[in-house]
Coordinates of all heavy atoms in Angstrom, one line a residue:
R388 N -65.7 -31.6 -132.0 CA -65.7 -32.9 -131.4 C -64.4 -33.6 -131.6 O -63.9 -34.3 -130.8 CB -66.9 -33.7 -132.0 CG -68.3 -33.3 -131.5 CD -69.3 -34.3 -131.9 NE -69.6 -34.4 -133.3 CZ -70.5 -33.6 -133.9 NH1 -71.1 -32.6 -133.3 NH2 -70.7 -33.7 -135.2
R389 N -63.8 -33.5 -132.8 CA -62.5 -34.0 -133.1 C -61.5 -33.4 -132.2 O -60.6 -34.1 -131.7 CB -62.1 -33.8 -134.6 CG -62.8 -34.7 -135.6 CD -62.1 -34.6 -136.9 NE -62.2 -33.3 -137.5 CZ -63.1 -32.9 -138.3 NH1 -64.1 -33.7 -138.6 NH2 -63.0 -31.7 -138.9
A390 N -61.6 -32.1 -131.9 CA -60.6 -31.4 -131.1 C -60.7 -32.0 -129.6 O -59.7 -32.1 -129.0 CB -60.9 -29.9 -131.1
A391 N -61.9 -32.3 -129.2 CA -62.1 -32.8 -127.8 C -61.4 -34.2 -127.7 O -60.7 -34.4 -126.7 CB -63.6 -32.9 -127.5
F392 N -61.6 -35.0 -128.7 CA -60.9 -36.3 -128.7 C -59.4 -36.2 -128.7 O -58.7 -36.9 -128.0 CB -61.4 -37.2 -129.8 CG -62.8 -37.7 -129.7 CD1 -63.8 -37.5 -130.6 CD2 -63.1 -38.5 -128.6 CE1 -65.1 -38.0 -130.5 CE2 -64.4 -39.0 -128.4 CZ -65.4 -38.8 -129.4
E393 N -58.9 -35.2 -129.5 CA -57.5 -35.0 -129.5 C -56.9 -34.6 -128.2 O -55.8 -35.0 -127.8 CB -57.1 -34.0 -130.6 CG -57.3 -34.5 -132.0 CD -56.4 -35.7 -132.3 OE1 -55.2 -35.7 -131.9 OE2 -56.9 -36.7 -133.0
E394 N -57.7 -33.7 -127.5 CA -57.3 -33.3 -126.2 C -57.2 -34.5 -125.2 O -56.3 -34.6 -124.4 CB -58.2 -32.2 -125.6 CG -58.1 -30.9 -126.2 CD -56.7 -30.3 -125.9 OE1 -56.2 -30.3 -124.8 OE2 -56.0 -29.8 -126.9
E395 N -58.2 -35.3 -125.3 CA -58.2 -36.5 -124.4 C -57.1 -37.5 -124.7 O -56.5 -38.1 -123.8 CB -59.6 -37.2 -124.4 CG -60.6 -36.5 -123.6 CD -60.2 -36.3 -122.2 OE1 -59.6 -37.2 -121.5 OE2 -60.4 -35.1 -121.7
K396 N -56.8 -37.6 -126.0 CA -55.7 -38.5 -126.4 C -54.4 -38.0 -125.7 O -53.5 -38.8 -125.3 CB -55.6 -38.6 -127.9 CG -56.6 -39.5 -128.5 CD -56.5 -39.4 -130.1 CE -55.2 -39.8 -130.6 NZ -55.1 -39.7 -132.1
K397 N -54.2 -36.7 -125.7 CA -52.9 -36.2 -125.1 C -52.8 -36.5 -123.7 O -51.6 -36.7 -123.2 CB -52.9 -34.6 -125.3 CG -52.8 -34.2 -126.7 CD -52.9 -32.6 -126.8 CE -52.9 -32.2 -128.2 NZ -53.1 -30.7 -128.3
K398 N -53.9 -36.7 -123.0 CA -53.9 -37.0 -121.5 C -53.6 -38.5 -121.3 O -53.2 -38.8 -120.1 CB -55.2 -36.6 -120.9 CG -55.5 -35.1 -121.0 CD -56.9 -34.8 -120.4 CE -57.3 -33.4 -120.6 NZ -58.6 -33.1 -120.1
C399 N -53.8 -39.3 -122.3 CA -53.6 -40.8 -122.1 C -52.2 -41.1 -122.0 O -51.3 -40.6 -122.8 CB -54.3 -41.5 -123.2 SG -56.1 -41.4 -123.2
T400 N -51.8 -42.0 -121.1 CA -50.5 -42.5 -121.0 C -50.2 -43.7 -122.0 O -49.1 -44.0 -122.3 CB -50.2 -43.0 -119.6 OG1 -51.1 -44.0 -119.2 CG2 -50.2 -41.8 -118.6
S401 N -51.3 -44.2 -122.6 CA -51.2 -45.3 -123.5 C -50.7 -44.8 -124.9 O -50.8 -43.6 -125.2 CB -52.5 -46.0 -123.7 OG -53.1 -46.5 -122.5
S402 N -50.1 -45.7 -125.7 CA -49.6 -45.3 -127.0 C -50.8 -45.1 -127.9 O -51.9 -45.6 -127.6 CB -48.7 -46.4 -127.6 OG -49.5 -47.6 -127.8
D403 N -50.6 -44.4 -129.0 CA -51.7 -44.1 -129.9 C -52.4 -45.4 -130.5 O -53.6 -45.5 -130.7 CB -51.2 -43.3 -131.1 CG -51.0 -41.8 -130.7 OD1 -51.4 -41.5 -129.6 OD2 -50.4 -41.1 -131.5
D404 N -51.5 -46.5 -130.6 CA -52.0 -47.8 -131.1 C -53.1 -48.4 -130.2 O -53.8 -49.3 -130.6 CB -50.9 -48.7 -131.4 CG -50.0 -48.3 -132.5 OD1 -50.4 -47.5 -133.3 OD2 -48.8 -48.7 -132.5
D405 N -53.1 -48.0 -128.9 CA -53.9 -48.6 -127.9 C -55.2 -47.8 -127.6 O -56.0 -48.1 -126.7 CB -53.2 -48.9 -126.6 CG -52.0 -49.9 -126.8 OD1 -52.2 -50.8 -127.7 OD2 -51.0 -49.7 -126.2
I406 N -55.3 -46.7 -128.3 CA -56.4 -45.8 -128.1 C -57.5 -45.9 -129.2 O -57.2 -45.9 -130.3 CB -56.0 -44.3 -128.0 CG1 -55.0 -44.1 -126.8 CG2 -57.2 -43.3 -127.8 CD1 -54.3 -42.7 -126.8
R407 N -58.7 -46.1 -128.8 CA -59.9 -46.2 -129.7 C -60.9 -45.1 -129.4 O -61.1 -44.8 -128.2 CB -60.5 -47.6 -129.6 CG -59.6 -48.7 -129.8 CD -59.3 -48.9 -131.3 NE -58.4 -50.0 -131.5 CZ -57.1 -50.0 -131.5 NH1 -56.5 -48.8 -131.2 NH2 -56.3 -51.0 -131.7
I408 N -61.4 -44.5 -130.5 CA -62.5 -43.5 -130.3 C -63.8 -44.1 -130.8 O -63.9 -44.4 -132.0 CB -62.1 -42.2 -131.1 CG1 -60.8 -41.6 -130.5 CG2 -63.3 -41.2 -131.0 CD1 -60.3 -40.4 -131.3
A409 N -64.7 -44.3 -130.0 CA -66.0 -45.0 -130.3 C -67.0 -44.0 -130.7 O -67.4 -43.1 -129.9 CB -66.4 -45.9 -129.1
L410 N -67.6 -44.1 -131.9 CA -68.7 -43.3 -132.4 C -69.9 -44.1 -132.6 O -69.9 -45.3 -132.9 CB -68.3 -42.6 -133.7 CG -66.9 -41.9 -133.7 CD1 -66.6 -41.4 -135.1 CD2 -67.0 -40.7 -132.7
A411 N -71.1 -43.5 -132.3 CA -72.4 -44.2 -132.2 C -73.1 -44.2 -133.5 O -74.4 -44.1 -133.5 CB -73.2 -43.7 -131.1

């Protein structure tokens, strides 16, 4: 699951400071 989020982060054009990972 962590690997999946890391893959998606790489695709984002936003900086890391603007990316949030929401867990339930």
Side-chain angles (χ1 to χ4, degrees):
R388 287 193 292 274
R389 286 195 296 269
F392 285 123
E393 287 301 318
E394 283 298 314
E395 280 309 312
K396 282 174 61 180
K397 292 176 185 176
K398 299 176 185 177
C399 293
T400 55
S401 302
S402 68
D403 286 350
D404 291 340
D405 299 326
I406 298 174
R407 302 288 180 269
I408 297 173
L410 306 176

